Amino acid sequence: MTTASTTSGTSARTTSARTSTARTTTIHPADFGTGYLSRAAALLHTLLTVEALLLATTAPGLLGLLLLGPSPANLPLAALCLLPLGPAASAAVYALHHRSRDLTDLHPARVYRRGLRLNSLAALRLWAPLLAWLTVIAFTLTHFTATGLPRWWAALLAVIGVASLLWGAHALLLTSLFTFRSRDTASLAAYFLLRHRRTTLAAASLLVLTGAMTALLTEALSALLAAPSLLSLLYAGRPVIVEAEEDFTP
């Protein structure tokens, strides 16, 4: 009797342990795609898709840039080639901001196309004047000896050009994620330029990094890393996005 009871107790404990193990290792369908590895895979898929779409959108302009020579006389043509970059970058920021973190629900191409449809006109309204202004500054600097101006004017123009690019980074975030009027976006971008200095500093760091890669390596590398750079700008611009949503939207 004792042996039988012992055997029965052991069998019961073994069955209980197996049941407990089975319960522990059970994977619920709702939990699939929510782990760290799945989220990393979802992010990588989104980045690669957005990068490919951004390059496809700007491909005509990029091909035009490759055909142009490095002569300063080609700066106006280079600006025309860069016009598609504004809407493409805005659509990329929109897609990265609205990306899904669930591996089972990824539609980055669809979100990118939606952002391109919604933001292209608004982005061009700000990007085209900014590009024209930067072209004037670059043309002046490349022909500075012919102007007869003091040297400190060159430094001042360079500072204005950098400040314009940083303003453009703030304007890009606002244009991509909100539906403000163009003049309101321009005013808010100037306001946030000084108010959120960390975001401005992060944008400046990305600008320096992109310039260094272009000058020391190749401009193709900057183009291939456009999506990660925009994602970094998006993360750095969270304070701007939060304040704009809380204080400047109904």
Side-chain angles (χ1 to χ4, degrees), residues 107-193:
H107 305 285
R110 182 190 307 170
V111 181
Y112 178 90
R113 289 194 296 268
R114 186 191 309 141
L116 193 63
R117 184 179 68 254
L118 294 175
N119 298 332
S120 289
L121 185 58
L124 275 176
R125 286 173 180 167
L126 293 174
W127 174 239
L130 175 61
L131 193 58
W133 173 239
L134 292 174
T135 302
V136 170
I137 292 177
F139 192 86
T140 303
L141 289 175
T142 53
H143 296 80
F144 192 76
T145 55
T147 64
L149 294 173
R151 290 182 178 272
W152 61 269
W153 269 94
L156 179 61
L157 284 175
V159 170
I160 292 174
V162 172
S164 300
L165 283 172
L166 296 178
W167 171 87
H170 287 275
L172 175 63
L173 292 175
L174 296 172
T175 302
S176 304
L177 306 180
F178 301 96
T179 56
F180 300 130
R181 293 177 299 180
S182 297
R183 61 183 180 183
D184 294 334
T185 301
S187 300
L188 284 175
Y191 168 71
F192 288 135
L193 185 65

Side-chain angles (χ1 to χ4, degrees), residues 15-38:
T15 303
S16 177
R18 289 175 179 174
T19 303
S20 177
T21 303
R23 289 176 180 173
T24 303
T25 58
T26 299
I27 299 177
H28 299 284
D31 296 332
F32 181 77
T34 59
Y36 291 110
L37 185 59
S38 297

Side-chain angles (χ1 to χ4, degrees), residues 54-69:
L54 190 151
L55 291 176
T57 306
T58 58
L62 294 178
L63 290 176
L65 285 177
L66 291 177
L67 295 176
L68 290 176

